[in-house]
Amino acid sequence: EAGVAQSPRYKIIEKRQSVAFWCNPISGHATLYWYQQILGQGPKLLIQFQNNGVVDDSQLPKDRFSAERLKGVDSTLKIQPAKLEDSAVYLCASSLWAGDTQYFGPGTRLTVL
Amino acid sequence: EDKVVQSPLSLVVHEGDTVTLNCSYEVTNFRSLLWYKQEKKAPTFLFMLTSSGIEKKSGRLSSILDKKELFSILNITATQTGDSAVYLCAVAGSFFGNEKLTFGTGTRLTIIP
């Protein structure tokens, strides 16, 4: 069974630039999550989708972050404009249903200079 | 606010030693506690615990949950260099009918050959 796919694996940008990350969950998984993991910390949930609807985006900085999952399968997370403090690993995870075990992708390491 | 505290923050032991990692939590409407191993970037699932006192075991790894004292331990016996990683504890709490994971900061385990 293929795992969660993410791209790119690494991205370096300057502050105020825009960046987008892509995630393809495990086939059949209805729930998709985006997490931000700052160095030395545990992952923090940014947004959770159930199919193509948002379940929880309470910790998403909506002035600069946006995410979509238009067809209920793959998802895109965008940051516009990026700040230095956005430097982190962005992890995508998926689960069969909300409450089932979450499986993580390899992540995208973002460096904002 | 849900909280997960892991200890120690880091641990360095020699190959063959046994280690115990700790996780304590405060969460609203507890559903389950999960352990993940994080090497490089993607956390990989180890255990999900829902009931007190029932040990989960996988090879040299085992874990147990105490829902009365609100903590869990992860034991690794006969450690190997491949066990070097960050071990993350996460607690799932029910949130308006949805389940939300709160992660600890992790324990960084280093095994010296």
Side-chain angles (χ1 to χ4, degrees), chain A:
Chain A
E1 180 183 82
V4 177
Q6 289 188 248
S7 67
R9 297 292 299 275
Y10 304 90
K11 190 75 178 177
I12 301 174
I13 62 173
E14 295 192 348
K15 60 183 179 184
R16 291 188 289 273
Q17 285 188 321
S18 301
V19 64
F21 312 127
W22 175 81
C23 171
N24 194 32
I26 293 172
S27 178
H29 280 199
T31 313
L32 185 146
Y33 313 80
W34 283 102
Y35 288 87
Q36 179 193 59
Q37 187 174 23
I38 293 171
L39 189 64
Q41 298 181 19
K44 182 185 89 171
L45 180 69
L46 292 175
I47 190 166
Q48 177 184 343
F49 290 96
Q50 181 70 22
N51 297 309
N52 61 348
V54 175
V55 174
D56 182 2
D57 63 357
S58 56
Q59 297 193 89
L60 186 75
K62 298 181 188 64
D63 57 334
R64 298 184 300 106
F65 285 64
S66 64
E68 58 184 19
R69 193 185 184 200
L70 291 174
K71 295 181 181 177
V73 180
D74 57 348
S75 175
T76 304
L77 176 70
K78 294 179 183 174
I79 309 175
Q80 180 179 9
K83 292 186 175 181
L84 297 176
E85 58 260 36
D86 299 332
S87 294
V89 174
Y90 290 84
L91 294 164
C92 179
S94 71
S95 60
L96 267 175
W97 47 276
D100 196 26
T101 302
Q102 295 182 29
Y103 295 92
F104 285 82
T108 297
R109 183 179 297 281
L110 173 67
T111 302
V112 182
L113 302 176

Side-chain angles (χ1 to χ4, degrees), chain A residues 9 35 37 42-43 48 55-56 59 91 98-99 101-102 104-107, chain B residues 34 36 38 40-43 45 48 88 95 98-101 103-105:
Chain A
R9 297 292 299 275
Y35 288 87
Q37 187 174 23
Q48 177 184 343
V55 174
D56 182 2
Q59 297 193 89
L91 294 164
T101 302
Q102 295 182 29
F104 285 82
Chain B
L34 301 94
Y36 286 86
Q38 188 172 29
K40 310 274 172 129
K41 282 191 285 190
F45 172 76
M48 176 189 280
L88 293 167
F95 171 72
N98 186 41
E99 194 168 287
K100 182 175 176 175
L101 280 188
F103 282 84
T105 54

Side-chain angles (χ1 to χ4, degrees), chain B residues 5-63:
Chain B
V5 178
Q6 293 187 245
S7 64
L9 290 182
S10 68
L11 189 56
V12 181
V13 300
H14 287 96
E15 202 167 18
D17 288 352
T18 293
V19 297
T20 298
L21 310 182
N22 304 293
C23 175
S24 63
Y25 63 90
E26 295 173 25
V27 66
T28 304
N29 298 322
F30 174 89
R31 297 284 295 272
S32 61
L33 184 144
L34 301 94
W35 285 97
Y36 286 86
K37 177 182 182 183
Q38 188 172 29
E39 299 169 276
K40 310 274 172 129
K41 282 191 285 190
T44 53
F45 172 76
L46 295 175
F47 298 112
M48 176 189 280
L49 303 153
T50 56
S51 302
S52 272
I54 299 174
E55 185 183 55
K56 291 257 179 129
K57 201 168 167 62
S58 175
R60 297 175 294 102
L61 277 67
S62 63
S63 183

